[in-house]
Amino acid sequence: MTDRRKINDLILNILMYLSAGIISALLIGIIGYILYRGIGHISWEFLSEKPSLIRNTVGILPNILNTVYIILMTLIVVLPLGVGSAIYLNEYATNKKLVRIIELATETLSGIPSIIYGLVGMLVFVQFFSLGTSLIAGSLTLAVMTLPTVIRTTQESLKTVPDGYREGSLALGSGKWYMIRTVVLPSALDGVVCGCILSVGRIVGESAALLFTAGMANEILGITQAVKAGNAGSSLTVALYMYAKERGEFDVAFAIAVILLFLTFAINLAAKLAAKKLKRKRG
Amino acid sequence: MNRKKISNAIEKTMNIIFSLCGIAAVLGVLVITVFLAAKGTPAVKEIGLAEFLFGRVWASTSDNPSYGILPFILTSVYGTLGAIIIGVPIGIMCAIFIGKMAPPRIANAVRASVELLSGIPSVVYGLVGMIIVVPFVREVFNLPDGANLFSAIIVLSVMILPSVISVSETALRAVPKEYEEASLALGATKTETVFRVVVPAAKSGIFTSVVLGVGRAIGEAMAVMMVAGNVANMPKLFGSVRFLTTAVASEMSYSSGLQREALFSIALVLFIFILIINMVLNSIKGGKQ
C-alpha cells in the first residue's frame, strides 16, 4: 500500500472518530451542564406548588398538570383518528390513487414546522371554533401534529399481521369489522403503543405550537376545568421558555430542563423497548 | 335474518367511519393551506408582492410602517446554509462511523447518544445556547452581544445532527453487502471501500438526510428565538437577526391590523418553503422507485 493511501485512510479515520466524539461530548456536556445548574433547585415545594408573587416562590405544579392534561387530551383525539386512518389505508382502501394522496398528505403534515401548527391552531381552534386560548385548543393542535406518527407506526404494525389471519377469520364467516376488531387490531397493538409513546415524546417537547394555542397561564386547573374552552395553561416547555426568555430566571429554567430531560429519556427508553418487541414479532 | 341486517348495518357504518378517519390527514393539510392562504394573501396584496418579498426594511410598529421581509428570508436561508455546512459533514462522518466502521459496542453507544440528542426539546437547546453559546461567542469574537446569527447557526447545526445521522445511517446500511465484498476482494482497504463504494451507493439516502436537515433548520422557532437576538436586521454573521419563524412568533402576541396580517403572510412564505422541501424529498423518493 502506498503512503498516500495510508495517510488518506488515517485522515478519514481520525475525522470519523472525531465526529463521533463530538456527538458524545455534546450529549454528555448538555446533560451534565443542565444537571449541574438545575438539580439543586428541585425540591418538593418546587414540584408541588404554584408560583406565588406574595411569597416570592416558584412552583411548577400547574405546568406539570397542564403537560399531563395536554398529553391525555391529545391522545384521546389522535389515537382513534390515527389508528382508524391506518386501518382504512391497510384494510379498506381499494383506490390506489386515494391511498397515494392520503400518504402524501401524511408526509406533508410530518414536515410542517411546529410554529405553523401553532399559528393555524390559533386561527382554527382558538378563533374559528372560538375555544379561546385554552388547553383544549392546544391539544387539538397537537393532535393534528402527531397524526402522521400514529398513522405511520400503526400502519407498519398492521402490515406485519399475516394475511392468513384475515382469510381464516373471514372464511369462518366473520364480517370485516368483526375480523379487524378481534383479529387484526389485537395483533397490531404493539404498533399502536409504539405510536403512542412517540407521540407523547413529541408532545412533551413541543413548545412553539402551544405558545399561541394553550397560552401561558400558571394556575392549577382541575380536570373538569382543563377540558373547558377558555382555560389557558402553559406546559413545562412553554414555562421554561417564559422563565428563561421573558423573566431571566435561569435557575427555574434549568430545573424545568432537568425534569424535561428526565421525561424525554424515560420516553426514549419506553419507545426503544416497544420497538424491540415489535421487531421480535416480525422476526 | 334480523341479526344479519344489523351486522350489515354495522359493517357499513364502520366502513364509513374508517373512510372518514382515512381522509383526516388530507383534511388537515387542506385546512392548513386554506387558512394560511386566506389569511396570508390580503396583507401581500395591500403591501405589494415585490415590496413585501424584497423590501429590505421591516418596521411594523413605526409611524410610517414598512413591511419588507427580505431580512427574514435571507436570515433563514443563511442560517440554514450555515447549519448545513457545519452539521452535515459531522453528521455524515458520524453516520459512516456507526453504520459501517465502528465496533458494535461503540456504535451502539454513539447511536444511543444520537437518539437521546434527538429527544431533547428545542427550548432546552435554546436555554443551553443562551447560557453557553451566546456568552462564548461574545467572549471569543469580542462582541458587545453574543446573540447573533452565528450563535443561531451553532445551535441549529447541533439540532439537525440527529436527523442527518439516523437517516444517513439507514441509507448506508441498505447498501448491498456484495458491493463491499467486491471492493475488498479487489484489494481496497475497509476505509477506502466505505468511502468510495458504499457512500456513493447511498448518496440518494444521504441527500434525503440533508434535505430533512434543511427542513428542520428552517422550521425551528423557539431555540432560534432564544439565541439569535431577534432584531429585524439584514443578516450579518455577528449581527442580531430575526428568522422567518421568529418573525412570526415574536410579534404575534401584541400585533393587530395590517401588522398581524403581514405575520400570516410571513407564515405563508415559510409554508411555501416547506412545501418546496417536501417536493424535493418526494422527487428523490420517486427517482429511487
Side-chain angles (χ1 to χ4, degrees):
Chain A
M1 217 161 78
T2 59
D3 282 348
R4 235 191 79 218
R5 283 176 67 192
K6 267 187 199 158
I7 292 170
N8 255 338
D9 260 30
L10 188 70
I11 292 173
L12 287 174
N13 271 305
I14 290 174
L15 285 176
M16 275 191 292
Y17 274 92
L18 198 68
S19 307
I22 290 174
I23 304 287
S24 313
L26 270 174
L27 182 76
I28 295 168
I30 291 174
I31 295 176
Y33 189 75
I34 288 171
L35 287 180
Y36 161 71
R37 286 287 304 260
I39 208 153
H41 299 278
I42 297 178
S43 63
W44 179 243
E45 282 73 36
F46 181 71
L47 295 175
S48 65
E49 279 172 31
K50 63 174 191 173
S52 157
L53 284 175
I54 303 166
R55 284 180 291 146
N56 198 21
T57 55
V58 176
I60 58 162
L61 183 64
N63 312 114
I64 296 176
L65 286 176
N66 289 336
T67 306
V68 173
Y69 292 145
I70 290 174
I71 290 173
L72 290 178
M73 287 196 283
T74 306
L75 287 183
I76 287 171
V77 178
V78 77
L79 275 186
L81 215 54
V83 173
S85 179
I87 289 176
Y88 176 76
L89 285 173
N90 211 50
E91 312 289 328
Y92 281 93
T94 44
N95 185 342
K96 276 233 169 77
K97 223 175 200 170
L98 183 62
V99 170
R100 183 72 201 118
I101 290 174
I102 294 175
E103 281 176 347
L104 204 66
T106 315
E107 280 164 30
T108 309
L109 276 187
S110 66
I112 295 176
S114 45
I115 182 80
I116 290 195
Y117 278 109
L119 200 68
V120 177
M122 186 187 80
L123 289 172
V124 176
F125 297 120
V126 176
Q127 292 173 0
F128 188 75
F129 288 112
S130 48
L131 291 170
T133 308
S134 59
L135 290 177
I136 188 96
S139 305
L140 289 171
T141 308
L142 292 193
V144 184
M145 198 180 86
T146 48
L147 187 63
T149 316
V150 176
I151 294 180
R152 202 179 325 112
T153 48
T154 310
Q155 213 186 347
E156 268 172 28
S157 152
L158 285 173
K159 277 181 188 154
T160 64
V161 178
D163 272 337
Y165 288 18
R166 296 185 180 91
E167 285 153 12
S169 164
L170 289 175
L172 289 171
S174 81
K176 193 155 194 177
W177 161 238
Y178 188 80
M179 181 259 298
I180 291 170
R181 186 161 56 91
T182 54
V183 178
V184 177
L185 266 187
S187 332
L189 193 65
D190 41 10
V192 178
V193 172
C194 201
C196 243
I197 298 171
L198 289 176
S199 306
V200 172
R202 233 187 129 184
I203 298 165
V204 167
E206 188 47 57
S207 44
L210 289 173
L211 205 55
F212 305 118
T213 52
M216 305 159 190
N218 281 323
E219 289 300 319
I220 295 178
L221 296 173
I223 203 155
T224 46
Q225 290 167 296
V227 296
K228 256 197 221 128
N231 277 330
S234 58
S235 67
L236 284 167
T237 44
V238 173
L240 188 161
Y241 174 77
M242 297 309 286
Y243 281 119
K245 188 82 184 15
E246 308 293 328
R247 299 190 213 158
E249 291 186 43
F250 293 113
D251 293 338
V252 181
F254 274 107
I256 298 177
V258 171
I259 291 164
L260 281 173
L261 277 190
F262 178 77
L263 284 176
T264 47
F265 290 173
I267 292 163
N268 186 290
L269 193 70
K272 248 186 163 169
L273 290 177
K276 214 180 220 170
K277 220 178 147 211
L278 199 65
K279 214 172 169 187
R280 202 162 48 221
K281 193 183 76 178
R282 279 181 203 156
Chain B
M1 206 53 213
N2 213 359
R3 258 179 73 186
K4 183 137 199 207
K5 243 184 204 162
I6 292 173
S7 79
N8 264 344
I10 292 177
E11 287 297 332
K12 276 217 180 93
T13 327
M14 291 321 287
N15 198 338
I16 293 169
I17 290 176
F18 284 129
S19 310
L20 288 180
C21 288
I23 57 167
V26 181
L27 200 69
V29 173
L30 280 181
V31 167
I32 292 173
T33 314
V34 167
F35 265 83
L36 277 181
K39 287 278 180 180
T41 40
V44 177
K45 262 190 210 140
E46 195 167 334
I47 298 159
L49 184 64
E51 178 64 35
F52 180 68
L53 288 179
F54 303 114
R56 301 167 69 93
V57 179
W58 173 269
S60 57
T61 48
S62 78
D63 294 335
N64 185 15
S66 161
Y67 301 96
I69 64 163
L70 191 65
F72 308 148
I73 295 179
L74 287 182
T75 303
S76 275
V77 171
Y78 292 163
T80 305
L81 269 180
I84 294 297
I85 289 170
I86 299 177
V88 165
I90 298 177
I92 291 177
M93 276 294 180
C94 184
I96 296 171
F97 182 71
I98 58 179
K100 286 289 161 194
M101 301 295 287
R105 237 199 215 153
I106 299 180
N108 280 335
V110 179
R111 204 175 288 126
S113 316
V114 174
E115 278 167 20
L116 291 180
L117 275 180
S118 77
I120 296 178
S122 51
V123 281
V124 175
Y125 278 112
L127 178 66
V128 174
M130 236 172 139
I131 301 298
I132 297 181
V133 179
V134 169
F136 178 79
V137 168
R138 186 185 58 217
E139 293 293 315
V140 170
F141 298 99
N142 207 5
L143 304 163
D145 186 8
N148 53 33
L149 181 58
F150 188 67
S151 300
I153 286 175
I154 292 179
V155 172
L156 282 177
S157 53
V158 174
M159 292 182 75
I160 64 168
L161 278 174
S163 42
V164 172
I165 294 173
S166 61
V167 176
S168 301
E169 197 212 337
T170 313
L172 288 168
R173 286 156 83 90
V175 175
K177 269 271 177 297
E178 288 79 5
Y179 288 25
E180 276 174 72
E181 283 158 5
S183 164
L184 290 172
L186 288 171
T189 64
K190 175 85 180 163
T191 314
E192 286 169 335
T193 302
V194 168
F195 278 88
R196 303 244 176 113
V197 177
V198 181
V199 171
K203 68 173 183 292
S204 82
I206 293 175
F207 186 61
T208 305
S209 81
V210 176
V211 180
L212 279 175
V214 170
R216 176 109 208 246
I218 212 165
E220 180 51 48
M222 302 305 268
V224 167
M225 186 109 120
M226 293 164 94
V227 297
N230 217 13
V231 180
N233 291 326
M234 286 298 270
K236 263 195 315 207
L237 193 55
F238 294 113
S240 176
V241 289
R242 201 183 275 185
F243 287 65
L244 281 170
T245 48
T246 50
V248 176
S250 58
E251 290 184 19
M252 191 44 91
S253 49
Y254 58 81
S255 61
S256 60
L258 183 61
Q259 181 196 3
R260 194 174 184 83
E261 284 177 1
L263 296 184
F264 292 125
S265 310
I266 298 176
L268 184 61
V269 172
L270 178 63
F271 187 60
I272 291 170
F273 269 105
I274 296 292
L275 287 184
I276 292 171
I277 290 169
N278 266 341
M279 265 189 263
V280 174
L281 279 176
N282 272 315
S283 72
I284 306 172
K285 230 188 255 165
K288 246 194 323 205
Q289 285 161 1

